[in-house]
Amino acid sequence: MIRVVTRPQAIPARMIGNAVIGVLVFLSGFVLFEPAPSDLLLCVVVAFWAFAGLSLSRPMLPMIVLMLLYMVGGLLSFSQLNAFAKPAIYMATTAFLIISSIFFAAVIQTDTERRFKVIERSYIASAIVCAMLGILGYFGAIPNGEVFTLYDRAKGAFKDPNVFGPFLILPLVVLTRAVLTDRLRNSGWRLMAIGILLAGVFLSFSRAAWGMAIVALLIATLLAFVSEERPSSRLRMIAYVAGGLLAVALLLALLLSIPVVQELFAQRFKLVQEYDGGRLGRFERHIIGFFMIQEHPFGLGPFEFGKMMGEDEHNMWLKGFTAYGWIGGFSYIALVAWTLVIALPLLFRARPWTPFIQCVFAVYVGHLIVHNVIDNDHWRHLFLIYGLLWGAHALEWKARRPVIVTRTPAPLVFGPVALPRAR
Protein backbone atom coordinates (compact mmCIF):
# COMPACT_ATOMS: atom_id res chain seq x y z
CA MET A 1 0.00 0.00 0.00
CA ILE A 2 1.43 3.37 -1.08
CA ARG A 3 0.90 6.28 1.27
CA VAL A 4 0.85 9.67 -0.36
CA VAL A 5 2.13 12.48 1.85
CA THR A 6 0.97 15.93 0.77
CA ARG A 7 2.79 19.00 1.95
CA PRO A 8 0.72 21.97 3.04
CA GLN A 9 0.78 24.70 0.44
CA ALA A 10 2.61 27.88 1.35
CA ILE A 11 0.43 30.92 2.00
CA PRO A 12 0.92 33.38 -0.88
CA ALA A 13 2.93 36.45 0.06
CA ARG A 14 0.23 38.68 -1.45
CA MET A 15 -2.38 37.19 0.88
CA ILE A 16 -0.15 37.85 3.89
CA GLY A 17 0.42 41.41 2.68
CA ASN A 18 -3.31 42.05 2.38
CA ALA A 19 -3.89 40.67 5.87
CA VAL A 20 -1.21 42.97 7.30
CA ILE A 21 -2.73 45.98 5.53
CA GLY A 22 -6.15 45.04 6.90
CA VAL A 23 -4.79 44.87 10.46
CA LEU A 24 -3.10 48.27 10.08
CA VAL A 25 -6.31 49.91 8.87
CA PHE A 26 -8.40 48.22 11.56
CA LEU A 27 -6.05 49.36 14.34
CA SER A 28 -6.27 52.97 13.14
CA GLY A 29 -9.60 53.14 14.99
CA PHE A 30 -7.94 52.61 18.38
CA VAL A 31 -5.99 55.68 19.45
CA LEU A 32 -6.33 56.14 23.21
CA PHE A 33 -2.70 57.27 23.44
CA GLU A 34 0.17 58.27 21.15
CA PRO A 35 2.11 56.72 19.57
CA ALA A 36 -0.82 54.39 18.88
CA PRO A 37 -0.44 50.61 18.35
CA SER A 38 -0.98 51.14 14.61
CA ASP A 39 1.96 53.60 14.54
CA LEU A 40 4.36 51.12 16.09
CA LEU A 41 3.17 48.25 13.90
CA LEU A 42 3.49 50.49 10.85
CA CYS A 43 7.21 51.03 11.51
CA VAL A 44 7.84 47.28 11.57
CA VAL A 45 5.70 46.64 8.48
CA VAL A 46 7.27 49.45 6.44
CA ALA A 47 10.80 48.35 7.36
CA PHE A 48 10.06 44.77 6.29
CA TRP A 49 8.16 45.81 3.16
CA ALA A 50 10.95 48.16 2.11
CA PHE A 51 13.43 45.30 2.44
CA ALA A 52 11.09 43.05 0.40
CA GLY A 53 10.71 45.70 -2.30
CA LEU A 54 8.34 48.61 -1.64
CA SER A 55 7.80 50.39 -4.95
CA LEU A 56 7.48 54.19 -5.08
CA SER A 57 6.32 55.50 -8.45
CA ARG A 58 6.88 58.86 -10.10
CA PRO A 59 3.27 60.14 -9.71
CA MET A 60 3.61 59.86 -5.92
CA LEU A 61 6.60 62.21 -5.93
CA PRO A 62 4.67 65.50 -5.35
CA MET A 63 2.92 64.06 -2.29
CA ILE A 64 6.16 62.66 -0.90
CA VAL A 65 8.13 65.87 -1.44
CA LEU A 66 5.42 68.15 0.01
CA MET A 67 4.89 65.93 3.05
CA LEU A 68 8.62 65.79 3.69
CA LEU A 69 8.84 69.58 3.42
CA TYR A 70 5.95 69.76 5.90
CA MET A 71 8.00 67.59 8.26
CA VAL A 72 11.16 69.65 7.69
CA GLY A 73 9.23 72.79 8.64
CA GLY A 74 8.12 71.11 11.85
CA LEU A 75 11.67 70.14 12.76
CA LEU A 76 12.91 73.68 12.07
CA SER A 77 10.25 75.00 14.46
CA PHE A 78 12.18 73.29 17.28
CA SER A 79 14.63 76.18 17.02
CA GLN A 80 11.96 78.27 18.81
CA LEU A 81 11.59 75.87 21.75
CA ASN A 82 13.22 75.48 25.14
CA ALA A 83 11.68 72.10 26.07
CA PHE A 84 11.69 69.27 23.55
CA ALA A 85 10.24 66.11 25.15
CA LYS A 86 6.52 66.59 24.37
CA PRO A 87 7.10 68.30 20.99
CA ALA A 88 9.42 65.44 19.99
CA ILE A 89 6.63 62.89 20.55
CA TYR A 90 4.27 65.14 18.63
CA MET A 91 6.61 65.40 15.64
CA ALA A 92 7.34 61.66 15.76
CA THR A 93 3.61 61.04 15.40
CA THR A 94 3.55 63.34 12.37
CA ALA A 95 6.40 61.30 10.89
CA PHE A 96 4.48 58.04 11.46
CA LEU A 97 1.44 59.46 9.69
CA ILE A 98 3.44 60.74 6.71
CA ILE A 99 5.01 57.30 6.37
CA SER A 100 1.53 55.76 6.48
CA SER A 101 0.34 57.95 3.56
CA ILE A 102 3.35 57.00 1.46
CA PHE A 103 3.00 53.34 2.41
CA PHE A 104 -0.70 53.06 1.53
CA ALA A 105 -0.18 54.92 -1.75
CA ALA A 106 2.62 52.51 -2.65
CA VAL A 107 1.01 49.20 -1.71
CA ILE A 108 -2.29 49.68 -3.53
CA GLN A 109 -0.41 49.77 -6.84
CA THR A 110 -0.11 45.99 -6.69
CA ASP A 111 -3.07 43.63 -6.37
CA THR A 112 -5.09 46.80 -6.82
CA GLU A 113 -8.75 45.84 -6.68
CA ARG A 114 -8.22 43.43 -3.80
CA ARG A 115 -6.16 45.99 -1.84
CA PHE A 116 -8.91 48.59 -2.12
CA LYS A 117 -11.44 46.03 -0.91
CA VAL A 118 -9.26 45.03 2.04
CA ILE A 119 -8.84 48.66 3.10
CA GLU A 120 -12.53 49.41 2.65
CA ARG A 121 -13.75 46.38 4.61
CA SER A 122 -11.17 46.73 7.40
CA TYR A 123 -12.08 50.41 7.84
CA ILE A 124 -15.80 49.58 7.98
CA ALA A 125 -15.21 46.83 10.56
CA SER A 126 -13.05 49.13 12.69
CA ALA A 127 -15.61 51.94 12.56
CA ILE A 128 -18.50 49.65 13.55
CA VAL A 129 -16.57 48.26 16.53
CA CYS A 130 -15.45 51.74 17.57
CA ALA A 131 -18.99 53.14 17.20
CA MET A 132 -20.43 50.30 19.28
CA LEU A 133 -17.89 51.00 22.04
CA GLY A 134 -18.85 54.67 22.00
CA ILE A 135 -22.60 53.98 22.04
CA LEU A 136 -22.47 51.31 24.76
CA GLY A 137 -20.07 53.41 26.82
CA TYR A 138 -22.31 56.47 26.50
CA PHE A 139 -25.34 54.61 27.86
CA GLY A 140 -23.28 52.76 30.51
CA ALA A 141 -24.19 49.39 29.00
CA ILE A 142 -20.70 47.91 29.45
CA PRO A 143 -18.31 47.80 32.42
CA ASN A 144 -15.91 50.76 32.58
CA GLY A 145 -17.90 52.43 29.84
CA GLU A 146 -16.59 55.82 30.92
CA VAL A 147 -13.34 54.96 29.14
CA PHE A 148 -15.20 55.42 25.87
CA THR A 149 -16.77 58.79 26.75
CA LEU A 150 -15.52 62.29 27.49
CA TYR A 151 -17.50 65.29 28.76
CA ASP A 152 -20.73 63.29 28.40
CA ARG A 153 -19.92 62.65 24.73
CA ALA A 154 -19.14 59.34 23.03
CA LYS A 155 -15.52 59.04 21.90
CA GLY A 156 -15.13 55.32 21.26
CA ALA A 157 -11.51 54.16 21.33
CA PHE A 158 -10.19 57.67 20.62
CA LYS A 159 -8.89 60.38 22.93
CA ASP A 160 -11.31 62.99 21.63
CA PRO A 161 -14.96 62.90 20.44
CA ASN A 162 -13.99 65.36 17.71
CA VAL A 163 -11.77 62.67 16.17
CA PHE A 164 -14.13 59.77 16.87
CA GLY A 165 -17.05 61.33 14.97
CA PRO A 166 -15.15 62.19 11.76
CA PHE A 167 -13.47 58.75 11.76
CA LEU A 168 -16.90 57.18 11.21
CA ILE A 169 -17.80 59.33 8.18
CA LEU A 170 -16.00 57.42 5.40
CA PRO A 171 -17.56 54.01 6.25
CA LEU A 172 -20.93 55.74 6.63
CA VAL A 173 -20.61 57.27 3.15
CA VAL A 174 -19.34 54.02 1.57
CA LEU A 175 -22.24 51.99 2.98
CA THR A 176 -24.80 54.64 2.06
CA ARG A 177 -23.57 54.76 -1.53
CA ALA A 178 -23.69 50.96 -1.72
CA VAL A 179 -27.32 51.00 -0.56
CA LEU A 180 -28.24 53.65 -3.13
CA THR A 181 -26.77 51.64 -6.01
CA ASP A 182 -28.01 48.16 -5.04
CA ARG A 183 -31.28 46.36 -4.48
CA LEU A 184 -32.71 46.95 -1.04
CA ARG A 185 -32.99 43.23 -0.35
CA ASN A 186 -29.19 42.98 -0.57
CA SER A 187 -28.59 45.77 1.96
CA GLY A 188 -29.93 44.42 5.24
CA TRP A 189 -26.59 44.36 7.06
CA ARG A 190 -25.60 47.67 5.47
CA LEU A 191 -28.68 49.39 6.88
CA MET A 192 -27.91 48.04 10.36
CA ALA A 193 -24.31 49.25 10.08
CA ILE A 194 -25.45 52.67 8.85
CA GLY A 195 -27.75 52.98 11.89
CA ILE A 196 -24.86 52.17 14.24
CA LEU A 197 -22.52 54.65 12.54
CA LEU A 198 -25.15 57.40 12.47
CA ALA A 199 -25.79 56.91 16.19
CA GLY A 200 -22.05 57.06 16.85
CA VAL A 201 -21.63 60.27 14.86
CA PHE A 202 -24.61 61.85 16.59
CA LEU A 203 -23.54 60.86 20.12
CA SER A 204 -20.06 62.26 19.54
CA PHE A 205 -21.83 65.66 19.64
CA SER A 206 -19.14 66.91 17.30
CA ARG A 207 -20.46 69.75 15.16
CA ALA A 208 -17.57 69.16 12.76
CA ALA A 209 -18.60 65.51 12.36
CA TRP A 210 -22.25 66.46 11.81
CA GLY A 211 -21.30 68.97 9.14
CA MET A 212 -18.85 66.57 7.47
CA ALA A 213 -21.47 63.83 7.35
CA ILE A 214 -23.96 66.10 5.60
CA VAL A 215 -21.42 67.47 3.09
CA ALA A 216 -19.84 64.09 2.30
CA LEU A 217 -23.17 62.31 1.90
CA LEU A 218 -24.44 65.03 -0.43
CA ILE A 219 -21.32 64.92 -2.61
CA ALA A 220 -21.21 61.11 -2.73
CA THR A 221 -24.92 60.90 -3.57
CA LEU A 222 -24.52 63.47 -6.36
CA LEU A 223 -21.52 61.62 -7.81
CA ALA A 224 -23.39 58.31 -7.68
CA PHE A 225 -26.41 59.88 -9.38
CA VAL A 226 -24.32 61.44 -12.15
CA SER A 227 -22.36 58.21 -12.68
CA GLU A 228 -25.54 56.13 -13.06
CA GLU A 229 -26.70 55.97 -16.68
CA ARG A 230 -30.00 54.06 -16.30
CA PRO A 231 -33.07 56.23 -15.57
CA SER A 232 -34.68 53.44 -13.52
CA SER A 233 -31.68 53.29 -11.20
CA ARG A 234 -31.73 57.07 -10.80
CA LEU A 235 -35.40 56.96 -9.82
CA ARG A 236 -34.61 54.24 -7.31
CA MET A 237 -31.87 56.41 -5.83
CA ILE A 238 -34.30 59.29 -5.39
CA ALA A 239 -36.76 56.98 -3.63
CA TYR A 240 -34.00 55.60 -1.39
CA VAL A 241 -32.84 59.12 -0.48
CA ALA A 242 -36.37 60.10 0.51
CA GLY A 243 -36.74 56.95 2.60
CA GLY A 244 -33.29 57.45 4.15
CA LEU A 245 -34.11 60.99 5.23
CA LEU A 246 -37.28 59.71 6.91
CA ALA A 247 -35.33 56.93 8.66
CA VAL A 248 -32.69 59.42 9.90
CA ALA A 249 -35.45 61.70 11.21
CA LEU A 250 -36.97 58.77 13.13
CA LEU A 251 -33.55 57.81 14.55
CA LEU A 252 -32.94 61.39 15.70
CA ALA A 253 -36.39 61.54 17.26
CA LEU A 254 -35.66 58.32 19.13
CA LEU A 255 -32.32 59.59 20.44
CA LEU A 256 -33.71 63.01 21.34
CA SER A 257 -36.46 61.37 23.40
CA ILE A 258 -33.74 60.62 25.96
CA PRO A 259 -33.55 63.69 28.28
CA VAL A 260 -29.76 63.74 28.73
CA VAL A 261 -29.25 63.48 24.97
CA GLN A 262 -31.79 66.20 24.30
CA GLU A 263 -30.10 68.58 26.75
CA LEU A 264 -26.61 68.13 25.33
CA PHE A 265 -27.92 68.36 21.76
CA ALA A 266 -29.55 71.70 22.54
CA GLN A 267 -26.18 72.98 23.78
CA ARG A 268 -24.12 71.64 20.89
CA PHE A 269 -26.54 72.50 18.09
CA LYS A 270 -25.71 76.21 18.30
CA LEU A 271 -23.60 77.15 15.29
CA VAL A 272 -21.47 79.63 17.28
CA GLN A 273 -20.71 78.80 20.88
CA GLU A 274 -19.47 81.25 23.51
CA TYR A 275 -15.95 79.86 23.19
CA ASP A 276 -16.13 80.49 19.41
CA GLY A 277 -17.24 84.13 19.20
CA GLY A 278 -16.45 85.42 22.71
CA ARG A 279 -13.48 87.42 23.89
CA LEU A 280 -10.31 85.57 22.77
CA GLY A 281 -12.60 82.87 21.41
CA ARG A 282 -11.77 80.55 18.57
CA PHE A 283 -12.34 83.08 15.79
CA GLU A 284 -10.49 85.92 17.49
CA ARG A 285 -7.55 83.59 18.15
CA HIS A 286 -7.50 82.78 14.44
CA ILE A 287 -7.12 86.46 13.55
CA ILE A 288 -4.41 87.01 16.17
CA GLY A 289 -2.62 83.86 15.05
CA PHE A 290 -2.49 84.81 11.37
CA PHE A 291 -0.92 88.16 12.30
CA MET A 292 1.47 86.41 14.69
CA ILE A 293 2.87 83.95 12.13
CA GLN A 294 3.94 86.80 9.86
CA GLU A 295 6.66 87.55 12.40
CA HIS A 296 7.74 83.90 12.91
CA PRO A 297 8.93 82.26 9.66
CA PHE A 298 10.06 79.18 11.62
CA GLY A 299 6.72 78.98 13.41
CA LEU A 300 6.22 78.81 17.16
CA GLY A 301 6.71 75.08 17.66
CA PRO A 302 4.16 72.45 18.74
CA PHE A 303 1.86 73.46 21.64
CA GLU A 304 3.33 76.97 21.92
CA PHE A 305 0.27 78.73 20.49
CA GLY A 306 -1.92 77.05 23.10
CA LYS A 307 0.39 78.19 25.88
CA MET A 308 0.25 81.78 24.66
CA MET A 309 -3.48 81.98 23.92
CA GLY A 310 -4.93 79.51 26.42
CA GLU A 311 -6.35 77.24 23.68
CA ASP A 312 -4.99 75.44 20.64
CA GLU A 313 -5.33 76.85 17.14
CA HIS A 314 -8.47 74.90 16.16
CA ASN A 315 -7.66 75.74 12.54
CA MET A 316 -5.60 73.44 10.36
CA TRP A 317 -4.35 76.20 8.07
CA LEU A 318 -3.13 78.21 11.07
CA LYS A 319 -1.71 75.09 12.71
CA GLY A 320 0.37 74.43 9.60
CA PHE A 321 2.18 77.75 10.11
CA THR A 322 2.42 77.84 13.91
CA ALA A 323 3.66 74.25 14.42
CA TYR A 324 5.46 73.75 11.08
CA GLY A 325 6.58 77.26 10.09
CA TRP A 326 6.25 78.92 6.71
CA ILE A 327 7.79 75.91 4.96
CA GLY A 328 5.26 73.54 6.50
CA GLY A 329 2.28 75.86 6.14
CA PHE A 330 2.80 76.59 2.44
CA SER A 331 3.71 72.95 1.75
CA TYR A 332 0.41 71.80 3.21
CA ILE A 333 -1.59 74.34 1.17
CA ALA A 334 0.23 73.13 -1.96
CA LEU A 335 -0.49 69.51 -1.01
CA VAL A 336 -4.22 70.22 -0.66
CA ALA A 337 -4.39 72.04 -4.00
CA TRP A 338 -2.41 69.35 -5.80
CA THR A 339 -4.51 66.56 -4.26
CA LEU A 340 -7.71 68.18 -5.52
CA VAL A 341 -6.20 68.51 -9.00
CA ILE A 342 -5.18 64.85 -9.24
CA ALA A 343 -8.35 63.55 -7.55
CA LEU A 344 -10.98 65.19 -9.75
CA PRO A 345 -10.18 63.14 -12.89
CA LEU A 346 -10.42 59.92 -10.84
CA LEU A 347 -14.11 60.39 -10.08
CA PHE A 348 -15.49 59.27 -13.43
CA ARG A 349 -13.02 56.62 -14.56
CA ALA A 350 -14.46 53.23 -15.48
CA ARG A 351 -12.63 51.35 -12.75
CA PRO A 352 -13.88 48.80 -10.19
CA TRP A 353 -12.66 51.04 -7.35
CA THR A 354 -14.19 54.29 -8.66
CA PRO A 355 -17.23 54.14 -6.28
CA PHE A 356 -14.86 53.87 -3.32
CA ILE A 357 -12.68 56.71 -4.59
CA GLN A 358 -15.78 58.89 -5.05
CA CYS A 359 -16.61 58.32 -1.36
CA VAL A 360 -13.01 59.02 -0.33
CA PHE A 361 -13.04 62.28 -2.29
CA ALA A 362 -16.38 63.35 -0.77
CA VAL A 363 -15.02 62.79 2.75
CA TYR A 364 -11.77 64.58 1.86
CA VAL A 365 -13.71 67.68 0.84
CA GLY A 366 -15.55 67.50 4.16
CA HIS A 367 -12.21 67.46 5.97
CA LEU A 368 -11.01 70.50 4.05
CA ILE A 369 -14.10 72.41 5.18
CA VAL A 370 -13.60 71.57 8.85
CA HIS A 371 -9.93 72.56 8.52
CA ASN A 372 -11.24 76.03 9.32
CA VAL A 373 -12.51 75.15 12.80
CA ILE A 374 -10.47 72.21 14.07
CA ASP A 375 -6.93 70.79 14.19
CA ASN A 376 -6.71 67.51 12.30
CA ASP A 377 -3.02 67.20 11.53
CA HIS A 378 -2.89 63.96 13.56
CA TRP A 379 -6.04 62.28 12.26
CA ARG A 380 -4.86 58.89 11.00
CA HIS A 381 -7.78 58.40 8.66
CA LEU A 382 -6.99 61.73 6.94
CA PHE A 383 -3.49 60.51 6.08
CA LEU A 384 -5.03 57.24 4.88
CA ILE A 385 -7.26 59.31 2.58
CA TYR A 386 -4.19 61.07 1.15
CA GLY A 387 -2.59 57.69 0.50
CA LEU A 388 -5.69 56.34 -1.23
CA LEU A 389 -6.13 59.33 -3.53
CA TRP A 390 -2.48 59.51 -4.54
CA GLY A 391 -2.30 55.72 -4.93
CA ALA A 392 -5.30 55.80 -7.27
CA HIS A 393 -3.64 58.64 -9.19
CA ALA A 394 -0.49 56.53 -9.58
CA LEU A 395 -2.59 53.67 -10.95
CA GLU A 396 -4.16 55.91 -13.59
CA TRP A 397 -0.73 57.20 -14.58
CA LYS A 398 0.46 53.63 -15.10
CA ALA A 399 -2.65 52.78 -17.13
CA ARG A 400 -2.10 55.78 -19.44
CA ARG A 401 1.59 55.12 -20.04
CA PRO A 402 2.25 53.97 -23.59
CA VAL A 403 3.38 50.39 -23.85
CA ILE A 404 6.74 50.25 -25.57
CA VAL A 405 6.94 47.16 -27.72
CA THR A 406 10.45 46.05 -28.53
CA ARG A 407 10.85 43.81 -31.53
CA THR A 408 12.96 40.76 -30.96
CA PRO A 409 15.36 40.23 -33.83
CA ALA A 410 14.67 37.13 -35.88
CA PRO A 411 16.76 34.21 -34.74
CA LEU A 412 19.68 33.16 -36.92
CA VAL A 413 18.89 30.12 -39.00
CA PHE A 414 21.74 27.86 -39.86
CA GLY A 415 21.34 25.68 -42.91
CA PRO A 416 22.82 24.91 -46.30
CA VAL A 417 24.21 27.93 -48.07
CA ALA A 418 24.18 28.15 -51.85
CA LEU A 419 27.64 29.14 -53.01
CA PRO A 420 28.06 30.98 -56.30
CA ARG A 421 29.24 28.81 -59.18
CA ALA A 422 32.75 29.34 -60.40
CA ARG A 423 32.94 30.59 -63.95
Side-chain angles (χ1 to χ4, degrees):
M1 183 176 180
I2 300 175
R3 186 175 66 179
V4 178
V5 179
T6 59
R7 295 182 178 179
Q9 294 183 351
I11 300 175
R14 187 168 291 180
M15 187 179 297
I16 297 174
N18 288 338
V20 170
I21 291 170
V23 171
L24 278 172
V25 175
F26 183 83
L27 289 179
S28 66
F30 301 86
V31 191
L32 288 171
F33 52 86
E34 290 186 281
S38 59
D39 298 336
L40 303 177
L41 177 61
L42 178 71
C43 292
V44 177
V45 170
V46 170
F48 179 81
W49 217 298
F51 178 78
L54 187 67
S55 176
L56 303 179
S57 58
R58 190 186 305 171
M60 296 167 48
L61 191 60
M63 181 192 75
I64 295 172
V65 170
L66 290 171
M67 285 191 170
L68 291 179
L69 286 174
Y70 182 67
M71 185 70 195
V72 168
L75 294 176
L76 289 175
S77 75
F78 277 44
S79 63
Q80 311 299 303
L81 299 175
N82 295 319
F84 300 97
K86 191 176 178 182
I89 296 174
Y90 181 91
M91 209 54 64
T93 302
T94 301
F96 290 142
L97 297 178
I98 289 173
I99 292 171
S100 74
S101 286
I102 298 171
F103 173 76
F104 284 117
V107 297
I108 63 175
Q109 296 177 80
T110 56
D111 200 17
T112 305
E113 187 174 357
R114 191 183 299 269
R115 288 268 157 88
F116 273 122
K117 281 294 180 186
V118 167
I119 292 171
E120 177 184 327
R121 291 170 180 172
S122 299
Y123 196 155
I124 290 172
S126 178
I128 291 173
V129 172
C130 194
M132 287 296 299
L133 290 174
I135 295 167
L136 295 174
Y138 181 85
F139 291 110
I142 53 176
N144 301 316
E146 64 277 1
V147 175
F148 307 112
T149 63
L150 182 68
Y151 306 132
D152 296 324
R153 298 164 60 188
K155 70 177 183 70
F158 285 88
K159 297 191 299 181
D160 189 345
N162 291 322
V163 185
F164 164 68
F167 175 78
L168 306 179
I169 304 299
L170 179 56
L172 173 63
V173 173
V174 169
L175 291 171
T176 301
R177 192 194 187 284
V179 170
L180 291 175
T181 55
D182 198 1
R183 297 287 182 182
L184 199 59
R185 62 174 176 268
N186 300 329
S187 298
W189 74 270
R190 293 181 187 136
L191 294 173
M192 291 179 59
I194 288 171
I196 293 170
L197 295 174
L198 279 173
V201 171
F202 179 78
L203 293 176
S204 71
F205 293 101
S206 167
R207 293 173 297 162
W210 295 347
M212 283 177 57
I214 294 171
V215 169
L217 286 170
L218 284 174
I219 294 174
T221 301
L222 180 61
L223 289 173
F225 188 84
V226 171
S227 301
E228 183 57 61
E229 297 178 353
R230 294 170 295 179
S232 59
S233 297
R234 289 186 171 185
L235 287 173
R236 186 179 62 201
M237 281 187 196
I238 294 172
Y240 284 178
V241 168
L245 291 174
L246 179 61
V248 170
L250 292 174
L251 178 61
L252 287 176
L254 177 63
L255 290 171
L256 290 174
S257 65
I258 304 170
V260 63
V261 175
Q262 185 180 28
E263 182 180 352
L264 189 53
F265 176 78
Q267 296 175 8
R268 298 291 300 173
F269 191 68
K270 295 177 182 177
L271 185 61
V272 178
Q273 300 283 350
E274 176 62 28
Y275 54 79
D276 292 325
R279 170 75 175 158
L280 288 181
R282 187 192 310 246
F283 301 138
E284 188 171 343
R285 291 198 308 274
H286 292 172
I287 296 172
I288 297 172
F290 279 112
F291 280 106
M292 187 183 298
I293 60 177
Q294 297 177 28
E295 302 173 359
H296 296 84
F298 292 108
L300 305 173
F303 308 111
E304 292 302 306
F305 184 87
K307 293 177 183 177
M308 295 178 182
M309 306 300 298
E311 287 284 346
D312 290 336
E313 293 87 341
H314 294 306
N315 182 300
M316 183 59 190
W317 314 112
L318 179 59
K319 186 68 166 285
F321 287 94
T322 57
Y324 300 88
W326 288 6
I327 294 176
F330 285 118
S331 295
Y332 187 73
I333 292 173
L335 176 64
V336 168
W338 211 320
T339 302
L340 290 173
V341 169
I342 61 101
L344 286 171
L346 304 174
L347 302 180
F348 304 103
R349 301 287 185 187
R351 303 286 185 263
W353 52 85
T354 296
F356 182 52
I357 291 299
Q358 287 180 349
C359 296
V360 172
F361 176 80
V363 176
Y364 179 65
V365 172
H367 279 77
L368 296 185
I369 293 173
V370 301
H371 271 13
N372 297 296
V373 292
I374 201 167
D375 304 327
N376 42 17
D377 58 325
H378 278 182
W379 290 9
R380 281 148 185 81
H381 63 275
L382 176 57
F383 282 82
L384 172 61
I385 287 172
Y386 275 113
L388 292 173
L389 292 176
W390 281 90
H393 167 63
L395 287 171
E396 288 300 325
W397 180 81
K398 285 185 175 181
R400 293 197 303 270
R401 287 183 67 187
V403 179
I404 301 174
V405 180
T406 57
R407 294 183 178 275
T408 305
L412 295 175
V413 179
F414 295 91
V417 178
L419 298 176
R421 293 180 182 180
R423 295 183 179 178

